[in-house]
Amino acid sequence: MTDHSNQARLGVGLVGHSFMGAVHSQAWRTAPHFFDLSLAPSMTALAGRDADRAEQAANKLGWSSSTDDWKSLLGRDDIDVIDVCTPGDTHAEITIAALEAGKHVLCEKPLANTVDEAKAMVAAADKAAGSGVRSMVGFNYRRAPALALARKLVADGRLGAIRHVRASYLQDFIVDPEFPMMWRLQAERAGSGALGDIGAHIIDLAQYLTDDLLAGVSALTETFIKERPLPEGASSGLAKGTSSMETGEVTVDDAALFFGRFGGGAIGSFEATRFATGRKNAMRIELNGSDGSLAFDFESMNELWFYDNRIDDAEGGFRRILATEPGHPYVDVWWPPGHGLGYEHTFSHEVYDFVEAVARDRDPSPSFADGLQVQQVLEAVQSSAADESRWTEIPKRGVGAV
Amino acid sequence: MTDHSNQARLGVGLVGHSFMGAVHSQAWRTAPHFFDLSLAPSMTALAGRDADRAEQAANKLGWSSSTDDWKSLLGRDDIDVIDVCTPGDTHAEITIAALEAGKHVLCEKPLANTVDEAKAMVAAADKAAGSGVRSMVGFNYRRAPALALARKLVADGRLGAIRHVRASYLQDFIVDPEFPMMWRLQAERAGSGALGDIGAHIIDLAQYLTDDLLAGVSALTETFIKERPLPEGASSGLAKGTSSMETGEVTVDDAALFFGRFGGGAIGSFEATRFATGRKNAMRIELNGSDGSLAFDFESMNELWFYDNRIDDAEGGFRRILATEPGHPYVDVWWPPGHGLGYEHTFSHEVYDFVEAVARDRDPSPSFADGLQVQQVLEAVQSSAADESRWTEIPKRGVGAV
Amino acid sequence: MTDHSNQARLGVGLVGHSFMGAVHSQAWRTAPHFFDLSLAPSMTALAGRDADRAEQAANKLGWSSSTDDWKSLLGRDDIDVIDVCTPGDTHAEITIAALEAGKHVLCEKPLANTVDEAKAMVAAADKAAGSGVRSMVGFNYRRAPALALARKLVADGRLGAIRHVRASYLQDFIVDPEFPMMWRLQAERAGSGALGDIGAHIIDLAQYLTDDLLAGVSALTETFIKERPLPEGASSGLAKGTSSMETGEVTVDDAALFFGRFGGGAIGSFEATRFATGRKNAMRIELNGSDGSLAFDFESMNELWFYDNRIDDAEGGFRRILATEPGHPYVDVWWPPGHGLGYEHTFSHEVYDFVEAVARDRDPSPSFADGLQVQQVLEAVQSSAADESRWTEIPKRGVGAV
Amino acid sequence: MTDHSNQARLGVGLVGHSFMGAVHSQAWRTAPHFFDLSLAPSMTALAGRDADRAEQAANKLGWSSSTDDWKSLLGRDDIDVIDVCTPGDTHAEITIAALEAGKHVLCEKPLANTVDEAKAMVAAADKAAGSGVRSMVGFNYRRAPALALARKLVADGRLGAIRHVRASYLQDFIVDPEFPMMWRLQAERAGSGALGDIGAHIIDLAQYLTDDLLAGVSALTETFIKERPLPEGASSGLAKGTSSMETGEVTVDDAALFFGRFGGGAIGSFEATRFATGRKNAMRIELNGSDGSLAFDFESMNELWFYDNRIDDAEGGFRRILATEPGHPYVDVWWPPGHGLGYEHTFSHEVYDFVEAVARDRDPSPSFADGLQVQQVLEAVQSSAADESRWTEIPKRGVGAV
């Protein structure tokens, strides 16, 4: 934002204003003051389902206008980007309409609730790309500096041949059986439970960090608490047919376990759960290679642990790299070493990369095709789990994708 | 910021725009979007020594105007607050002038470079307070949620009688003897070295967390590297008389060690150093009491470790509390559990508390008097170190303070 | 050993004198000086395959005599116990003969190389039990104080209903493809690879700690390095037919991944690998229950991490219990708090419990039946892995066991 | 112990049979079975103050005979070594008599209760050395593999110039004011409190690891609980004059804080306390040098943390070396990597080194002169603390030592 006169404006319209909407807002507001962006984002309009709540949200989150009609954003000339932060069941409709209207799209993960929706979205993105319209799916964790550093170390060959991926995403926010029904616990709205919500992140990360794709999986899912109390006045936010009951049926997984093989020969274990009592946001991933290993836990998000197997055994050990050095990805614009970043910074980095991709006419990453591939893994997991953990292959990337 | 019509404006003028200026800017911009502030901060003007650099900084950091004359801010009606982010040698002049002009003041720590300056500042603050003008010194770490939680646990009596305080602030950014001379290494500008820069933080924290004051200390300081290369074109930023030499003399401490006694009977050890190779921002504090202990390390700023001595020995252990729960101080406005905050959030919390104090006509904390008391400890440390570690008493609070 | 006059002698014969033989020897020598044993163990004789090496081992390890004929131990009146520390392919023959000769048996894990062998051993143990002859399988890790404490906390209901078991046993000693062939890499001698060697431990622990049994599993195994150099003069220690080749085929798994369901409703994930670069002996297990969680890593064997979900969220956190308190299992006879124990102590505790069981005419635990059940899990894992990760049920305990 | 025929016997007499006596016994018993000793230790006799208790102890701890007259050991031809495990007030008398009787001596730390006693012991040791009689003081922690590795890394220059030593020894066993009076709390018996008991260890380690000596110190000591209940029948074990009271006066420090300068230019901070609630045996030491840093905590005794400053910042980090590799000091005779050792192993290593020194006619280390120098530091600390933390120089090694 050093010189406004040379910097074209990029109007942004946000759809959805709860958790994801709030953190995206902070990212849109913050990124320009730290990164040298080639375009100047303008927080132009926010859309929600309810006009009053959308107006309140726009005021609170810092958007210039609000509406209860997201479609109205598509006709505005002052909006160049649609940022989709709604539940998964509306991703396909909103993103496809936005892309057809020539708007760049940043869409939260998981890309969709089904593979079919995701395929339609990829088709729309591919078509729009022909006109220079960009699309990106929001796997924000890729942009935690420690994980971006991990990717760099792997790409530089520091791990050698990767043999193991061990990934888990552990939360505990619904351990209490009195925790009420919400849209995230309904298949109709959320697609799946822990699997799509948090499992999608570790699938994406495992594939991103290894630069390899899962070829097949075997899976098991479980729902520990099958009925939950409905919240007061629950009808509006929940899928239809649930409002007249005192409890509602949980129709998604509480936990998903699976293992798989990667195309390049590595094996991997995965666990996503909302029942790991005491684990708040423990997104953990460990890679073991012939020349080294890496380990990460989001509960200590500024640390990357690296074991360099080329060092003599007598001096070897997992090394706690504080990913806060100027030489680490994204870090130079922030604070001095040891002055850690937080969760929201992953989104500021995402905005930076997205804006630069738009400005420089290149495809941002992860693409909708990446999002579709993750969706195919999710579907394979659900399919395997529904059929006695049968081994289930993942369609090869690009093979019959659309 | 939910309803602008009911919310009076609070114009802010920032003086200084390097590291501290940048993080304060982020705090002024961010706080209103998360906390329900009673006044609406407006980032009105930024002052620096050089007009061009000030203008660039204002653009980058998000201030509406800029000037190379900080005094001009004092005459503006649209500025209510002066936020002082300059080196310590200018704190007294700027804050006293601002207070006399009826501006509320938020001043970075350490409050001043000398006790005399600090006393003059306290006198000005006391006088201004009579007219409802507020002043606060920026010991930001108090507002890390984990440390605010620590204060609460101590205040609730969970530690019983406190016996030990063990505090250290470990950095390593000048271990390399080729690291160039800078104002922080000159007594004329910075007052002291590691002692005032980072030691001041742990002195404040130790006293804040225990709600007790140091009564006396014995100290040792050391400068390991006594000459450093001057940076290219070093003259402007450094004190006079250094520009024509190829190296400059380091006139502050690289490290300070001291121990002391608190008024309430506890003993404490302190270390501030810029030579703890590998420690990036390890501000650590541990309190041992008759009923429990607490431990904290800023390199893992979202964690507080608590040992509850009332639990049976067979089940006792230091407990890693992730200070990211809605019930923890400042946390409810941010993200879900386990989604950690970063360094800059301590400043957003500081802005929140400062604004509310101004809005509600109450004195913010820590006050200039708190800053003066820390300054007296710093002076006692330097005095002891200069006289063979002689035991040196700290003047009692309020006794002949002004 | 407080009063020799009242303490009957318990003659012990050891079969096998490499790694396991050495650590058992230390346990037999040490336990009497710390625990008040009801019988006085006498380290009477050591048997090996080679007379000279057996004699040297007996001297070094502290046994009164040696032999190259383990069968000769069975006829000696001064030997009451046979301690079996040989590779798995000889367990069945030695233990059955010993039991038939009326000797108590302590047998290393895994109990056998096949379920059939294990069933025969259980039959022999059951028959011998009728005459007061005792048998025990050496899952030593149960007797690490931290894990014995974990069992106690679960038994006391501190975890509530257990939902998740997450277990892994990570080593890296054969990551180097030049690491030579050895008996542990041959199916004929070892039965399986990482699975039986270290996977058996976490299967036993998971079932022991939860007091529940696995009902079914889905599994995947992998051998990353399929050929390895033969050691110099390799023929003697390896299975027949390998000595004339320059490299030998690895016929066991390098890694095994599986997940399963417990009878009581919990789900579990398991990984055993010798390719987790940088992990030396990371036997990890975590249990998540409705009221709390436990976590353990053998690389920090004196620590048990406990999350008590009954504590208010604002104070909750995983607690590092140093399992070195007098009130912790086995600890009171050792050193003061914080003076940690080592790997070998788990065996000293095993000897203590075994001797007391023999002395007091009760069955030691884990029994051969426990060992058989673990063997059935191992077989189910191998069976599933060989058939595209097909879901494979574990025979119910006692159903057609013999 | 591989070949008894070539191995001369080394008769050992132990004086004292409580905590230290027990752990020394385990070391004498264990070392020969792991290390190839040049002499074969024989646990010949144990001496205590009370004949019955000494006999019981000899039985339990594995000594061939017992006596209530330690002097009788000095006349026995079958005793070559006197191992002194009594409280500090008897060290001088016993060791000097033993040395004069031509017995090698292993004496527990601190060497004595006063500098004068220590000087007399050094004189006796020097005199005896002329006849090939060896003496050693038992600073066992030097022989934890992780710390021996630390010494090696420093000696190899991996840390460059050492600037900081940060040492603390934190325990909490007397936090409860009802913890009864014992000899360790009486100056007459113990010399000092936390200072001599545990502070002596970190003084020795700091000097050993840096290969440098403290030149001066400034200190503060504190006794938090000044009266404690006398135990039932307390008279025998405590100093005279205490038995008729209901409470006894604590005449030693509960905690000692000090800092100092080393001869080579480093500075150091030290804390020894028995009031660090929740810390069980946290003997911690950190060294910061120009090229790297090391950190250790005995509560995780198998770990050494190493920061190598020569590694690029982007990859640097404290590395957790599990000191369980065959290439680490003392480790090759024990277990595979990751199979940790315990507290008692430091003593087994001490016995190994002591026996080899005796066998090979060389002086073991640490010597009595080393013990005297530590005693001089302890005395300087007490002297400074008694005189308002006055800076107090440590006599130079060998200057007027005797």
Side-chain angles (χ1 to χ4, degrees), chain B residues 158 314-315 319-320 328, chain C residues 158 314-315 318-320 328:
Chain B
R158 302 298 300 276
E315 293 193 4
R319 197 189 295 171
R320 175 184 178 252
H328 291 152
Chain C
R158 301 299 301 276
E315 293 194 3
F318 272 86
R319 196 190 295 171
R320 175 182 177 253
H328 291 152

Side-chain angles (χ1 to χ4, degrees), chain A residues 65-381:
Chain A
S65 64
S66 67
T67 173
D68 63 352
D69 175 19
W70 61 264
K71 290 177 185 166
S72 70
L73 304 180
L74 307 188
R76 291 177 62 164
D77 286 342
D78 60 348
I79 290 183
D80 307 294
V81 171
I82 300 295
D83 182 358
V84 183
C85 291
T86 55
D89 59 341
T90 57
H91 285 189
E93 182 187 6
I94 299 172
T95 60
I96 292 169
L99 290 166
E100 289 177 347
K103 307 300 188 193
H104 308 292
V105 173
L106 171 58
C107 180
E108 257 307 313
K109 46 57 58 186
L111 187 61
N113 276 4
T114 69
V115 165
D116 284 347
E117 289 170 350
K119 285 184 177 173
M121 293 167 75
V122 168
D126 285 352
K127 191 173 169 193
S131 322
V133 174
R134 309 291 163 192
S135 51
M136 183 180 182
V137 61
F139 286 113
N140 62 297
Y141 288 123
R142 290 187 176 198
R143 290 171 162 96
L147 287 172
L149 174 62
R151 172 66 198 126
K152 184 179 178 303
L153 290 168
V154 173
D156 290 349
R158 303 298 300 275
L159 262 58
I162 294 183
R163 267 79 176 254
H164 285 269
V165 177
R166 209 155 26 248
S168 53
Y169 201 142
L170 312 176
Q171 298 184 336
D172 73 350
F173 73 103
I174 58 171
V175 164
D176 183 351
E178 297 305 307
F179 185 95
M181 177 58 59
M182 65 184 298
W183 70 265
R184 288 183 188 274
L185 302 176
Q186 294 190 304
E188 200 173 336
R189 299 294 312 281
S192 63
L195 177 61
D197 184 21
I198 53 181
H201 277 299
I202 51 176
I203 292 167
D204 177 66
L205 272 179
Q207 298 188 132
Y208 166 67
L209 293 177
T210 58
D211 196 25
D212 198 356
L213 297 177
L214 279 162
V217 295
S218 176
L220 173 162
T221 58
E222 179 63 77
T223 305
F224 296 108
I225 306 293
K226 292 176 176 58
E227 294 276 333
R228 288 185 178 273
L230 291 176
E232 306 270 336
S235 55
S236 65
L238 298 173
K240 288 172 192 167
T242 58
S243 62
S244 60
M245 307 182 304
E246 290 195 320
T247 62
E249 189 188 354
V250 176
T251 52
V252 300
D253 58 280
D254 286 337
L257 296 181
F258 58 101
F259 53 70
R261 293 183 183 276
F262 289 79
I267 58 176
S269 65
F270 296 82
E271 177 168 5
T273 177
R274 293 163 169 165
F275 274 75
T277 308
R279 303 299 179 190
K280 301 305 176 183
N281 201 40
M283 189 187 72
R284 300 172 175 183
I285 190 159
E286 178 161 334
L287 308 178
N288 303 135
S290 54
D291 289 336
S293 291
L294 290 170
F296 175 86
D297 181 346
F298 193 81
E299 286 189 356
S300 301
M301 70 167 277
N302 291 293
E303 301 174 13
L304 180 68
W305 292 79
F306 175 35
Y307 185 92
D308 184 349
N309 202 32
R310 292 165 186 157
I311 287 180
D312 185 83
D313 279 354
E315 293 194 3
F318 273 87
R319 197 189 295 171
R320 176 184 177 252
I321 303 175
L322 268 183
T324 57
E325 294 294 313
H328 291 150
Y330 305 105
V331 173
D332 59 320
V333 307
W334 299 104
W335 317 118
H339 295 67
L341 302 185
Y343 169 69
E344 70 202 50
H345 292 79
T346 60
F347 293 89
S348 296
H349 304 164
E350 187 171 281
V351 159
Y352 164 55
D353 287 332
F354 180 76
V355 170
E356 290 309 295
V358 167
R360 300 174 188 215
D361 289 327
R362 60 186 184 208
D363 281 323
S365 172
S367 67
F368 276 21
D370 294 323
L372 164 61
Q373 195 273 343
V374 170
Q375 203 67 40
Q376 287 171 321
V377 177
L378 296 175
E379 191 168 273
V381 167

Side-chain angles (χ1 to χ4, degrees), chain B residues 11-15 42 44-47 63 73 79-84:
Chain B
V12 182
L14 177 74
V15 190
S42 171
T44 305
L46 175 153
W63 297 83
L73 304 181
I79 290 183
D80 306 294
V81 171
I82 300 295
D83 183 357
V84 182

Side-chain angles (χ1 to χ4, degrees), chain D residues 94-360:
Chain D
I94 299 172
T95 61
I96 292 170
L99 289 165
E100 289 177 346
K103 307 301 187 193
H104 308 293
V105 173
L106 172 58
C107 181
E108 256 309 311
K109 48 55 56 187
L111 186 63
N113 277 3
T114 68
V115 166
D116 283 347
E117 288 170 349
K119 284 184 177 171
M121 292 166 76
V122 170
D126 284 352
K127 190 172 170 196
S131 324
V133 175
R134 308 292 162 191
S135 50
M136 182 181 185
V137 61
F139 286 113
N140 61 298
Y141 287 124
R142 290 187 178 199
R143 291 172 163 95
L147 287 170
L149 173 62
R151 172 67 199 123
K152 183 177 179 305
L153 289 168
V154 174
D156 289 350
R158 302 299 299 275
L159 262 57
I162 293 181
R163 268 78 177 257
H164 287 269
V165 176
R166 210 157 25 250
S168 54
Y169 201 143
L170 312 176
Q171 296 184 336
D172 75 348
F173 74 102
I174 59 173
V175 164
D176 183 351
E178 297 306 308
F179 185 95
M181 178 58 59
M182 64 184 296
W183 70 264
R184 288 184 188 275
L185 302 176
Q186 295 190 304
E188 198 173 338
R189 299 293 311 281
S192 63
L195 177 62
D197 184 20
I198 54 181
H201 277 299
I202 51 176
I203 293 167
D204 177 66
L205 272 180
Q207 298 187 133
Y208 166 67
L209 292 178
T210 58
D211 196 24
D212 199 356
L213 296 178
L214 278 162
V217 293
S218 176
L220 172 162
T221 58
E222 180 62 75
T223 304
F224 296 106
I225 306 292
K226 293 177 174 58
E227 294 276 333
R228 288 185 177 274
L230 291 175
E232 308 268 336
S235 56
S236 64
L238 298 173
K240 288 173 192 167
T242 57
S243 61
S244 60
M245 307 180 307
E246 288 195 320
T247 64
E249 189 188 356
V250 176
T251 51
V252 299
D253 59 279
D254 285 339
L257 295 182
F258 58 102
F259 54 71
R261 292 184 183 276
F262 289 79
I267 59 176
S269 66
F270 296 83
E271 176 168 5
T273 176
R274 293 162 170 166
F275 274 74
T277 309
R279 303 300 178 190
K280 301 306 174 184
N281 201 40
M283 189 187 72
R284 298 169 176 187
I285 189 158
E286 178 162 334
L287 307 179
N288 303 136
S290 54
D291 288 336
S293 291
L294 291 170
F296 175 86
D297 181 345
F298 193 81
E299 286 188 357
S300 300
M301 70 168 278
N302 292 292
E303 300 173 15
L304 180 67
W305 293 79
F306 174 36
Y307 184 91
D308 184 350
N309 201 33
R310 291 165 187 158
I311 287 180
D312 185 83
D313 279 353
E315 293 194 3
F318 272 88
R319 196 188 298 171
R320 175 183 178 253
I321 303 174
L322 268 182
T324 57
E325 294 294 312
H328 291 151
Y330 305 107
V331 173
D332 60 319
V333 307
W334 298 103
W335 317 117
H339 295 67
L341 302 185
Y343 169 69
E344 70 202 50
H345 292 80
T346 60
F347 293 90
S348 296
H349 303 164
E350 187 172 281
V351 159
Y352 164 55
D353 286 332
F354 180 77
V355 170
E356 290 310 295
V358 168
R360 299 171 188 217

Side-chain angles (χ1 to χ4, degrees), chain C residues 113-198:
Chain C
N113 277 3
T114 68
V115 166
D116 283 347
E117 287 170 350
K119 284 184 177 173
M121 292 166 77
V122 169
D126 284 353
K127 190 172 170 196
S131 323
V133 174
R134 307 294 163 190
S135 50
M136 184 181 183
V137 61
F139 285 113
N140 62 299
Y141 288 124
R142 289 187 177 198
R143 289 170 164 97
L147 287 171
L149 173 61
R151 172 68 198 124
K152 183 177 180 305
L153 289 169
V154 174
D156 289 351
R158 301 299 301 276
L159 261 59
I162 293 180
R163 267 81 175 253
H164 287 269
V165 176
R166 210 157 23 250
S168 53
Y169 201 143
L170 312 176
Q171 296 184 337
D172 74 350
F173 74 104
I174 59 173
V175 164
D176 183 351
E178 297 306 307
F179 186 94
M181 179 58 61
M182 66 184 295
W183 71 264
R184 288 183 188 275
L185 302 177
Q186 295 191 302
E188 199 173 337
R189 300 292 312 280
S192 64
L195 177 63
D197 184 22
I198 55 181

